[in-house]
Amino acid sequence: MASKIKSIPILKDNVAQNFTTIIAFNTLKKQSINFSKQATIASEILKKAKI
């Protein structure tokens, strides 16, 4: 027996605007992570292992 296909929710007006703002904020926040300290540590470990 076939199951019913659920409709896709559509964001409108202020909800859509807030959603877009949150996405933009999280995208900027994501790019601000600095892994230079971890990369330096990993490089030192690889040097010791002679890889």
Short mmCIF file of all heavy atoms in Angstrom, two decimals:
data_model
loop_
_atom_site.label_atom_id
_atom_site.label_comp_id
_atom_site.label_asym_id
_atom_site.label_seq_id
_atom_site.Cartn_x
_atom_site.Cartn_y
_atom_site.Cartn_z
N MET A 1 0.83 -1.17 0.00
CA MET A 1 0.00 0.00 0.00
C MET A 1 0.89 1.25 0.00
O MET A 1 1.90 1.30 0.68
CB MET A 1 -0.90 -0.01 1.24
CG MET A 1 -1.86 1.11 1.31
SD MET A 1 -2.93 0.89 2.74
CE MET A 1 -4.47 1.30 2.00
N ALA A 2 0.53 2.24 -0.76
CA ALA A 2 1.31 3.46 -0.88
C ALA A 2 1.11 4.34 0.35
O ALA A 2 0.03 4.40 0.92
CB ALA A 2 0.88 4.23 -2.12
N SER A 3 2.20 5.00 0.74
CA SER A 3 2.10 5.92 1.87
C SER A 3 1.97 7.35 1.34
O SER A 3 2.46 7.68 0.26
CB SER A 3 3.31 5.80 2.78
OG SER A 3 4.48 6.09 2.07
N LYS A 4 1.34 8.18 2.11
CA LYS A 4 1.08 9.55 1.72
C LYS A 4 2.38 10.36 1.73
O LYS A 4 3.19 10.24 2.65
CB LYS A 4 0.08 10.18 2.68
CG LYS A 4 -0.32 11.57 2.33
CD LYS A 4 -1.36 12.10 3.32
CE LYS A 4 -1.69 13.55 3.00
NZ LYS A 4 -2.64 14.11 3.96
N ILE A 5 2.60 11.17 0.70
CA ILE A 5 3.77 12.02 0.62
C ILE A 5 3.48 13.31 1.39
O ILE A 5 2.47 13.97 1.16
CB ILE A 5 4.12 12.36 -0.84
CG1 ILE A 5 4.46 11.08 -1.60
CG2 ILE A 5 5.27 13.35 -0.92
CD1 ILE A 5 4.66 11.29 -3.09
N LYS A 6 4.37 13.64 2.33
CA LYS A 6 4.18 14.84 3.14
C LYS A 6 4.57 16.07 2.32
O LYS A 6 5.51 16.05 1.53
CB LYS A 6 5.03 14.78 4.40
CG LYS A 6 4.62 13.70 5.35
CD LYS A 6 5.47 13.73 6.60
CE LYS A 6 5.06 12.63 7.55
NZ LYS A 6 5.88 12.63 8.76
N SER A 7 3.85 17.15 2.53
CA SER A 7 4.16 18.39 1.82
C SER A 7 5.39 19.05 2.45
O SER A 7 5.66 18.90 3.64
CB SER A 7 2.98 19.33 1.85
OG SER A 7 2.69 19.70 3.18
N ILE A 8 6.11 19.80 1.65
CA ILE A 8 7.30 20.50 2.11
C ILE A 8 6.86 21.83 2.72
O ILE A 8 6.14 22.60 2.07
CB ILE A 8 8.27 20.75 0.95
CG1 ILE A 8 8.73 19.42 0.36
CG2 ILE A 8 9.47 21.57 1.40
CD1 ILE A 8 9.53 19.55 -0.91
N PRO A 9 7.28 22.12 3.96
CA PRO A 9 6.88 23.40 4.57
C PRO A 9 7.55 24.57 3.84
O PRO A 9 8.70 24.50 3.43
CB PRO A 9 7.37 23.30 6.00
CG PRO A 9 8.42 22.26 5.98
CD PRO A 9 8.10 21.33 4.85
N ILE A 10 6.82 25.64 3.67
CA ILE A 10 7.32 26.84 3.00
C ILE A 10 7.37 27.98 4.01
O ILE A 10 6.37 28.28 4.67
CB ILE A 10 6.41 27.22 1.81
CG1 ILE A 10 6.39 26.08 0.80
CG2 ILE A 10 6.88 28.51 1.17
CD1 ILE A 10 5.39 26.27 -0.31
N LEU A 11 8.54 28.59 4.12
CA LEU A 11 8.71 29.71 5.04
C LEU A 11 8.29 31.00 4.34
O LEU A 11 8.64 31.24 3.20
CB LEU A 11 10.17 29.81 5.48
CG LEU A 11 10.75 28.58 6.16
CD1 LEU A 11 12.22 28.81 6.46
CD2 LEU A 11 10.00 28.25 7.42
N LYS A 12 7.55 31.83 5.05
CA LYS A 12 7.05 33.07 4.48
C LYS A 12 7.34 34.24 5.41
O LYS A 12 7.47 34.08 6.62
CB LYS A 12 5.54 32.99 4.24
CG LYS A 12 5.14 31.93 3.23
CD LYS A 12 3.65 31.92 3.04
CE LYS A 12 3.26 30.83 2.06
NZ LYS A 12 1.83 30.75 1.87
N ASP A 13 7.42 35.41 4.82
CA ASP A 13 7.54 36.69 5.52
C ASP A 13 8.66 36.72 6.56
O ASP A 13 9.80 36.47 6.24
CB ASP A 13 6.20 37.08 6.15
CG ASP A 13 5.09 37.23 5.12
OD1 ASP A 13 5.41 37.66 3.99
OD2 ASP A 13 3.94 36.91 5.44
N ASN A 14 8.30 37.04 7.81
CA ASN A 14 9.31 37.21 8.86
C ASN A 14 10.04 35.92 9.19
O ASN A 14 11.23 35.95 9.50
CB ASN A 14 8.66 37.76 10.13
CG ASN A 14 8.25 39.20 9.98
OD1 ASN A 14 8.75 39.90 9.13
ND2 ASN A 14 7.31 39.63 10.82
N VAL A 15 9.36 34.81 9.10
CA VAL A 15 10.01 33.53 9.40
C VAL A 15 11.12 33.26 8.39
O VAL A 15 12.22 32.85 8.74
CB VAL A 15 8.97 32.38 9.40
CG1 VAL A 15 9.64 31.05 9.63
CG2 VAL A 15 7.90 32.62 10.45
N ALA A 16 10.84 33.50 7.13
CA ALA A 16 11.85 33.31 6.08
C ALA A 16 13.01 34.28 6.26
O ALA A 16 14.17 33.90 6.09
CB ALA A 16 11.21 33.49 4.71
N GLN A 17 12.71 35.51 6.60
CA GLN A 17 13.75 36.52 6.81
C GLN A 17 14.64 36.15 8.00
O GLN A 17 15.87 36.24 7.91
CB GLN A 17 13.09 37.88 7.06
CG GLN A 17 13.81 39.03 6.45
CD GLN A 17 12.96 40.29 6.52
OE1 GLN A 17 11.97 40.36 7.25
NE2 GLN A 17 13.34 41.29 5.76
N ASN A 18 14.04 35.71 9.09
CA ASN A 18 14.81 35.29 10.26
C ASN A 18 15.68 34.07 9.93
O ASN A 18 16.83 34.00 10.36
CB ASN A 18 13.89 34.97 11.43
CG ASN A 18 13.24 36.20 12.00
OD1 ASN A 18 13.72 37.31 11.80
ND2 ASN A 18 12.13 36.01 12.70
N PHE A 19 15.14 33.14 9.18
CA PHE A 19 15.87 31.94 8.80
C PHE A 19 17.10 32.32 7.97
O PHE A 19 18.20 31.82 8.19
CB PHE A 19 14.96 30.99 8.02
CG PHE A 19 15.59 29.69 7.67
CD1 PHE A 19 15.82 28.73 8.63
CD2 PHE A 19 15.96 29.41 6.36
CE1 PHE A 19 16.40 27.52 8.31
CE2 PHE A 19 16.54 28.22 6.02
CZ PHE A 19 16.76 27.26 7.00
N THR A 20 16.92 33.23 7.02
CA THR A 20 18.03 33.69 6.18
C THR A 20 19.09 34.40 7.00
O THR A 20 20.29 34.21 6.79
CB THR A 20 17.50 34.63 5.07
OG1 THR A 20 16.45 33.98 4.37
CG2 THR A 20 18.59 35.01 4.10
N THR A 21 18.68 35.20 7.97
CA THR A 21 19.62 35.90 8.84
C THR A 21 20.43 34.91 9.67
O THR A 21 21.65 35.06 9.82
CB THR A 21 18.86 36.86 9.78
OG1 THR A 21 18.07 37.74 8.98
CG2 THR A 21 19.81 37.66 10.64
N ILE A 22 19.78 33.91 10.21
CA ILE A 22 20.46 32.89 11.01
C ILE A 22 21.47 32.13 10.17
O ILE A 22 22.59 31.85 10.61
CB ILE A 22 19.44 31.94 11.66
CG1 ILE A 22 18.64 32.69 12.72
CG2 ILE A 22 20.12 30.72 12.26
CD1 ILE A 22 17.45 31.93 13.25
N ILE A 23 21.10 31.80 8.93
CA ILE A 23 22.02 31.10 8.03
C ILE A 23 23.26 31.95 7.77
O ILE A 23 24.39 31.46 7.82
CB ILE A 23 21.33 30.74 6.71
CG1 ILE A 23 20.30 29.64 6.93
CG2 ILE A 23 22.34 30.29 5.66
CD1 ILE A 23 19.44 29.34 5.74
N ALA A 24 23.07 33.23 7.48
CA ALA A 24 24.19 34.13 7.21
C ALA A 24 25.10 34.25 8.43
O ALA A 24 26.33 34.19 8.30
CB ALA A 24 23.68 35.50 6.79
N PHE A 25 24.52 34.39 9.60
CA PHE A 25 25.31 34.50 10.83
C PHE A 25 26.13 33.24 11.08
O PHE A 25 27.31 33.30 11.39
CB PHE A 25 24.39 34.78 12.02
CG PHE A 25 25.11 34.84 13.34
CD1 PHE A 25 25.91 35.92 13.67
CD2 PHE A 25 25.00 33.80 14.26
CE1 PHE A 25 26.58 35.98 14.87
CE2 PHE A 25 25.67 33.84 15.47
CZ PHE A 25 26.47 34.94 15.77
N ASN A 26 25.51 32.08 10.93
CA ASN A 26 26.21 30.82 11.16
C ASN A 26 27.30 30.57 10.13
O ASN A 26 28.34 29.99 10.44
CB ASN A 26 25.22 29.66 11.18
CG ASN A 26 24.41 29.62 12.45
OD1 ASN A 26 24.82 30.14 13.48
ND2 ASN A 26 23.23 29.03 12.38
N THR A 27 27.10 31.02 8.90
CA THR A 27 28.12 30.88 7.87
C THR A 27 29.34 31.71 8.22
O THR A 27 30.48 31.25 8.08
CB THR A 27 27.56 31.31 6.50
OG1 THR A 27 26.41 30.52 6.20
CG2 THR A 27 28.58 31.12 5.40
N LEU A 28 29.14 32.94 8.69
CA LEU A 28 30.27 33.78 9.09
C LEU A 28 30.98 33.19 10.30
O LEU A 28 32.21 33.22 10.38
CB LEU A 28 29.78 35.20 9.40
CG LEU A 28 29.28 36.01 8.22
CD1 LEU A 28 28.67 37.32 8.71
CD2 LEU A 28 30.39 36.27 7.24
N LYS A 29 30.23 32.68 11.23
CA LYS A 29 30.79 32.09 12.45
C LYS A 29 31.62 30.85 12.12
O LYS A 29 32.67 30.63 12.71
CB LYS A 29 29.64 31.73 13.39
CG LYS A 29 30.06 31.34 14.78
CD LYS A 29 28.85 31.28 15.68
CE LYS A 29 28.63 29.88 16.15
NZ LYS A 29 27.49 29.75 17.03
N LYS A 30 31.17 30.09 11.17
CA LYS A 30 31.85 28.86 10.77
C LYS A 30 33.24 29.16 10.21
O LYS A 30 34.18 28.42 10.45
CB LYS A 30 31.01 28.14 9.72
CG LYS A 30 31.62 26.90 9.16
CD LYS A 30 30.70 26.32 8.11
CE LYS A 30 31.40 25.30 7.28
NZ LYS A 30 30.59 24.84 6.18
N GLN A 31 33.38 30.25 9.49
CA GLN A 31 34.64 30.58 8.85
C GLN A 31 35.65 31.21 9.80
O GLN A 31 36.80 31.37 9.44
CB GLN A 31 34.39 31.52 7.68
CG GLN A 31 33.59 30.88 6.58
CD GLN A 31 33.20 31.86 5.50
OE1 GLN A 31 33.41 33.05 5.65
NE2 GLN A 31 32.63 31.38 4.43
N SER A 32 35.25 31.54 11.00
CA SER A 32 36.15 32.22 11.92
C SER A 32 36.96 31.27 12.79
O SER A 32 37.72 31.72 13.64
CB SER A 32 35.35 33.17 12.81
OG SER A 32 34.48 32.44 13.64
N ILE A 33 36.83 29.97 12.59
CA ILE A 33 37.57 29.00 13.39
C ILE A 33 39.02 28.93 12.91
O ILE A 33 39.28 28.80 11.72
CB ILE A 33 36.91 27.61 13.32
CG1 ILE A 33 35.50 27.69 13.88
CG2 ILE A 33 37.73 26.58 14.09
CD1 ILE A 33 34.69 26.42 13.68
N ASN A 34 39.96 29.01 13.83
CA ASN A 34 41.38 29.00 13.50
C ASN A 34 42.00 27.69 14.01
O ASN A 34 42.03 27.43 15.21
CB ASN A 34 42.07 30.21 14.14
CG ASN A 34 43.51 30.32 13.74
OD1 ASN A 34 44.05 29.49 13.02
ND2 ASN A 34 44.17 31.36 14.22
N PHE A 35 42.49 26.88 13.08
CA PHE A 35 43.08 25.59 13.44
C PHE A 35 44.60 25.61 13.33
O PHE A 35 45.23 24.56 13.25
CB PHE A 35 42.53 24.49 12.52
CG PHE A 35 41.09 24.15 12.80
CD1 PHE A 35 40.10 24.52 11.90
CD2 PHE A 35 40.74 23.43 13.92
CE1 PHE A 35 38.78 24.21 12.15
CE2 PHE A 35 39.42 23.12 14.17
CZ PHE A 35 38.44 23.51 13.28
N SER A 36 45.22 26.78 13.36
CA SER A 36 46.67 26.85 13.18
C SER A 36 47.42 26.14 14.32
O SER A 36 48.45 25.49 14.07
CB SER A 36 47.13 28.30 13.06
OG SER A 36 46.81 29.01 14.22
N LYS A 37 46.92 26.24 15.54
CA LYS A 37 47.58 25.59 16.67
C LYS A 37 47.55 24.07 16.51
O LYS A 37 48.56 23.39 16.68
CB LYS A 37 46.88 26.00 17.97
CG LYS A 37 47.54 25.46 19.22
CD LYS A 37 46.85 25.96 20.47
CE LYS A 37 47.49 25.41 21.72
NZ LYS A 37 46.80 25.87 22.93
N GLN A 38 46.39 23.54 16.13
CA GLN A 38 46.26 22.10 15.93
C GLN A 38 47.10 21.63 14.74
O GLN A 38 47.68 20.55 14.78
CB GLN A 38 44.79 21.71 15.70
CG GLN A 38 43.92 21.86 16.93
CD GLN A 38 43.38 23.27 17.15
OE1 GLN A 38 43.76 24.21 16.47
NE2 GLN A 38 42.49 23.41 18.11
N ALA A 39 47.20 22.45 13.70
CA ALA A 39 48.01 22.09 12.53
C ALA A 39 49.49 22.04 12.90
O ALA A 39 50.22 21.15 12.44
CB ALA A 39 47.77 23.09 11.41
N THR A 40 49.93 22.96 13.74
CA THR A 40 51.32 22.97 14.20
C THR A 40 51.63 21.71 15.01
O THR A 40 52.67 21.07 14.81
CB THR A 40 51.60 24.22 15.05
OG1 THR A 40 51.25 25.37 14.30
CG2 THR A 40 53.05 24.30 15.46
N ILE A 41 50.75 21.35 15.90
CA ILE A 41 50.92 20.15 16.71
C ILE A 41 50.96 18.91 15.83
O ILE A 41 51.81 18.03 16.01
CB ILE A 41 49.82 20.04 17.78
CG1 ILE A 41 49.95 21.18 18.80
CG2 ILE A 41 49.85 18.68 18.47
CD1 ILE A 41 48.78 21.32 19.75
N ALA A 42 50.08 18.84 14.85
CA ALA A 42 50.03 17.69 13.94
C ALA A 42 51.34 17.61 13.14
O ALA A 42 51.87 16.51 12.91
CB ALA A 42 48.83 17.79 13.00
N SER A 43 51.85 18.75 12.70
CA SER A 43 53.11 18.76 11.96
C SER A 43 54.27 18.24 12.80
O SER A 43 55.11 17.48 12.31
CB SER A 43 53.44 20.18 11.47
OG SER A 43 52.48 20.60 10.53
N GLU A 44 54.32 18.65 14.07
CA GLU A 44 55.36 18.17 14.96
C GLU A 44 55.27 16.66 15.16
O GLU A 44 56.29 15.96 15.19
CB GLU A 44 55.27 18.90 16.30
CG GLU A 44 55.66 20.36 16.23
CD GLU A 44 55.43 21.10 17.53
OE1 GLU A 44 55.10 20.46 18.55
OE2 GLU A 44 55.61 22.33 17.52
N ILE A 45 54.08 16.15 15.30
CA ILE A 45 53.89 14.71 15.47
C ILE A 45 54.35 13.97 14.22
O ILE A 45 55.04 12.93 14.30
CB ILE A 45 52.40 14.38 15.78
CG1 ILE A 45 52.04 14.92 17.16
CG2 ILE A 45 52.13 12.88 15.68
CD1 ILE A 45 50.54 14.87 17.46
N LEU A 46 54.02 14.48 13.04
CA LEU A 46 54.43 13.84 11.80
C LEU A 46 55.95 13.89 11.60
O LEU A 46 56.54 12.95 11.06
CB LEU A 46 53.71 14.47 10.61
CG LEU A 46 52.20 14.23 10.55
CD1 LEU A 46 51.58 15.04 9.44
CD2 LEU A 46 51.91 12.75 10.37
N LYS A 47 56.58 14.98 12.05
CA LYS A 47 58.05 15.08 11.96
C LYS A 47 58.70 14.02 12.82
O LYS A 47 59.66 13.36 12.42
CB LYS A 47 58.52 16.46 12.39
CG LYS A 47 58.35 17.52 11.34
CD LYS A 47 58.86 18.87 11.87
CE LYS A 47 58.49 19.98 10.92
NZ LYS A 47 58.88 21.30 11.44
N LYS A 48 58.18 13.82 14.03
CA LYS A 48 58.73 12.81 14.94
C LYS A 48 58.54 11.41 14.38
O LYS A 48 59.37 10.54 14.55
CB LYS A 48 58.07 12.90 16.32
CG LYS A 48 58.53 14.08 17.14
CD LYS A 48 57.87 14.09 18.49
CE LYS A 48 58.25 15.30 19.30
NZ LYS A 48 57.58 15.34 20.61
N ALA A 49 57.42 11.20 13.70
CA ALA A 49 57.13 9.89 13.12
C ALA A 49 57.83 9.69 11.77
O ALA A 49 57.79 8.61 11.19
CB ALA A 49 55.63 9.72 12.93
N LYS A 50 58.47 10.76 11.29
CA LYS A 50 59.19 10.76 10.00
C LYS A 50 58.27 10.35 8.84
O LYS A 50 58.61 9.52 8.02
CB LYS A 50 60.42 9.85 10.06
CG LYS A 50 61.44 10.33 11.07
CD LYS A 50 62.65 9.44 11.11
CE LYS A 50 63.59 9.94 12.17
NZ LYS A 50 64.77 9.08 12.31
N ILE A 51 57.10 10.98 8.82
CA ILE A 51 56.14 10.72 7.74
C ILE A 51 56.14 11.89 6.79
O ILE A 51 56.10 13.00 7.11
CB ILE A 51 54.73 10.47 8.31
CG1 ILE A 51 54.76 9.20 9.12
CG2 ILE A 51 53.72 10.39 7.20
CD1 ILE A 51 53.43 8.86 9.78
#
